[in-house]
Amino acid sequence: MRTDTHAGALTSTLPARRHVPAASSGGVVLDVVVPVYNEEAGLEGCVRRLHAFLSGNFPYGFRITVADNASADGTPVVARRLAGEFAEVESVRLEEKGRGRALRAVWGASDAPVRAYMDVDLSTDLNALLPLVAPLISGHSDVAIGSRLAGGSRVVRGAKREVISRSYNLILRGSLAARFSDAQCGFKAVRGEVAERLLPLVEDSGWFFDTELLVVAERAGLRIHEVPVDWVDDPDSRVDIVATALEDLRGVWRVGRALASGALPLGRLARPFGDDPRDRGVVGVPGGLARQLVGFAAVGVVSTLLYLVLFSLLRLGVGAQAANAVALLLSAVVNTAANRRLTFRVRGRSRVVRHQAQGLVVFGIGLALTSGSLAALSAGSPGASHATELAVLVAANLAATVLRFVLFRAWVFSAKHEQGQGMDGGHTAEGIHQDHGDSAYGDVSRADGTDKERTSA
């Protein structure tokens, strides 16, 4: 079983999604992980109920993996006994705590095409399991999550947890621009080839693991499927809400900073379209035009306002030509940087100086247009008012803007020139491979007499 992936193998994009055949991985299509810590009392009931449900309702081969997070009670004994009783149940022992650590170890070592997990308390109704994994098996989606906040879900829990859950998801939407509705529901699944690329990019080993995985997947453009669930709160939950909330906020800050700096090699998770001929690129028609036009227009509005403010301020002390040159230069530097990051999605520091130099050439063309317009106004109406000057500059800038977009798209930030340089988040692997310390667990070996228990140090 695979437990690590060489950086060189991660530089290419993901293959197109395909329907998972029923005979995959020796008949095992779905691996359901149940992370546990000191769950001696509830583990057996959970596994028996889950096994009965999958045996009676799931049409593919399955495996249930109990991931024991260094339990100090009789949990390992119960897990081994269940593994000996059911051919579809395995037991994995980890010597360190952390739900994220357990999922990274077991998902990373699994050979199943679809890998899921659920909480041991089975708060989520199992009837949502098939809708959860069906889009992954069919090849429609990359990641699937159960949501307690989506329309159609039915939830029974106290007001305190309800407020905390909704507040946390609002924080994610406001700070990380997350579009998924529920980050922390313990009911998720991922396709195997996606897990192999995604897990090395997820640093957290605790409760924030879920959120980080979803944010990275979403930012990389992977398709996340949400399933409304019926969910009943476990009154015996031992999660420390305050400590978990603080850890989550630290995680939000860390991931937000990594995304802003372009440190995450999201290009490793890029997906091509499928086999439908309508999904194939049309020769001579570059992609992303509509999105780039919107981004360019937004940046252009802001930089034009900045330019006009600077021109007006400088015009109080210098002539119109000097004020125009300085204002246009400063706003051009800001405009190039903003379009580089927001419109054309070029991350990292590679070629930034070259981009600014090319942007200054574009600036020179804009300067010639606007300066020429001012010179023509001065020659035709020597006593023109400041308002007239501004109107002429706005008209000249509109013409320069059209030309600027064409030059930016075809020359400065051309996809051909930026291939492998960070376009759309796609950094190369050199210099950015991260060793997260707890993300590699070595080979997961079978250790007991039944040849079914796996141990990870």
Side-chain angles (χ1 to χ4, degrees):
M1 292 185 183
R2 192 202 68 80
T3 58
D4 194 11
T5 303
H6 297 292
L10 293 175
T11 56
S12 61
T13 59
L14 284 165
R17 287 183 294 266
R18 298 287 187 269
H19 191 290
V20 175
S24 294
S25 304
V28 175
V29 170
L30 174 64
D31 191 349
V32 182
V33 182
V34 182
V36 292
Y37 172 71
N38 290 345
E39 295 289 352
E40 177 183 6
L43 177 58
E44 182 168 355
C46 164
V47 172
R48 290 187 180 279
R49 181 181 166 193
L50 177 58
H51 184 273
F53 177 85
L54 289 171
S55 298
N57 298 279
F58 191 65
Y60 296 92
F62 66 89
R63 178 192 303 131
I64 300 172
T65 303
V66 179
D68 174 24
N69 289 119
S71 294
D73 63 357
T75 298
V77 177
V78 176
R80 285 195 295 269
R81 185 173 71 247
L82 292 166
E85 180 178 348
F86 298 107
E88 298 85 3
V89 176
E90 291 191 359
S91 169
V92 175
R93 169 75 177 184
L94 291 93
E95 299 302 332
E96 294 181 87
K97 293 171 61 178
R99 181 174 72 177
R101 179 176 286 108
L103 292 176
R104 184 184 293 112
V106 181
W107 275 359
S110 179
D111 56 0
V114 177
R115 303 159 198 184
Y117 95 89
M118 62 181 60
D119 292 335
V120 68
D121 57 19
L122 296 184
S123 294
T124 304
D125 182 53
L126 290 178
N127 285 325
L129 182 56
L130 270 66
L132 182 80
V133 301
L136 307 186
I137 294 174
S138 70
H140 175 270
S141 300
D142 300 294
V143 182
I145 66 173
S147 175
R148 299 160 295 184
L149 303 177
S153 62
R154 297 189 299 175
V155 177
V156 177
R157 62 177 166 183
K160 180 180 179 181
R161 285 182 174 272
E162 181 75 11
V163 170
I164 291 174
S165 179
R166 291 187 179 276
S167 298
Y168 179 61
N169 283 282
L170 284 174
I171 290 173
L172 294 181
R173 288 176 178 271
S175 60
L176 299 178
R179 297 190 299 274
F180 48 85
S181 65
D182 191 351
Q184 292 288 19
C185 181
F187 198 70
K188 294 182 174 67
V190 61
R191 283 179 64 99
E193 76 275 13
V194 174
E196 292 171 2
R197 302 290 186 97
L198 187 54
L199 292 176
L201 305 183
V202 180
E203 181 176 334
D204 191 78
S205 60
W207 292 99
F208 187 70
F209 175 90
D210 296 55
T211 302
E212 186 170 358
L213 181 142
L214 291 177
V215 169
V216 174
E218 186 175 75
R219 287 299 187 93
L222 298 182
R223 181 176 293 157
I224 299 175
H225 178 76
E226 293 199 12
V227 178
V229 298
D230 296 343
W231 192 86
V232 179
D233 189 18
D234 178 15
D236 190 40
S237 176
R238 285 162 282 177
V239 177
D240 188 331
I241 295 178
V242 175
T244 302
L246 292 176
E247 285 294 326
D248 287 345
L249 291 176
R250 283 192 284 267
V252 169
W253 168 257
R254 174 177 54 79
V255 172
R257 185 175 55 186
L259 290 171
S261 64
L264 288 171
L266 301 179
R268 297 178 181 178
L269 298 169
R271 274 282 198 197
F273 287 115
D275 288 335
D276 191 323
R278 292 171 298 179
D279 291 336
R280 297 170 188 165
V282 180
V283 177
V285 180
L289 178 60
R291 178 190 57 76
Q292 290 177 355
L293 281 172
V294 173
F296 184 81
V299 171
V301 169
V302 175
S303 59
T304 298
L305 291 175
L306 174 64
Y307 162 74
L308 293 175
V309 170
L310 290 173
F311 177 81
S312 298
L313 293 175
L314 293 169
R315 189 67 176 86
L316 298 175
V318 299
Q321 292 287 4
N324 175 61
V326 175
L328 194 58
L329 174 62
L330 294 176
S331 60
V333 171
V334 174
N335 182 278
T336 300
N339 275 307
R340 181 181 191 271
R341 177 67 177 82
L342 302 176
T343 303
F344 298 96
R345 294 184 177 180
V346 180
R347 312 304 205 265
R349 301 175 181 175
S350 176
R351 299 163 62 95
V352 64
V353 175
R354 177 173 179 173
H355 289 155
Q356 283 292 350
Q358 291 173 310
L360 289 178
V361 174
V362 178
F363 149 77
I365 297 174
L367 178 63
L369 284 174
T370 54
S371 297
S373 299
L374 283 175
L377 176 65
S378 178
S381 302
S385 67
H386 179 61
T388 303
E389 288 181 340
L390 288 179
V392 169
L393 287 175
V394 168
N397 266 296
L398 287 175
T401 296
V402 175
L403 182 59
R404 186 183 305 122
F405 178 77
V406 173
L407 291 175
F408 273 177
R409 183 173 167 84
W411 178 47
V412 181
F413 303 115
S414 168
K416 178 179 66 175
H417 295 157
E418 297 305 320
Q419 186 175 8
Q421 298 291 336
M423 177 69 79
D424 289 328
H427 295 277
T428 55
E430 291 76 16
I432 55 177
H433 178 65
Q434 297 177 340
D435 181 8
H436 297 310
D438 58 10
S439 62
Y441 293 87
D443 290 334
V444 181
S445 58
R446 298 172 182 254
D448 71 346
T450 63
D451 194 34
K452 292 179 62 180
E453 182 186 4
R454 295 177 283 159
T455 304
S456 180

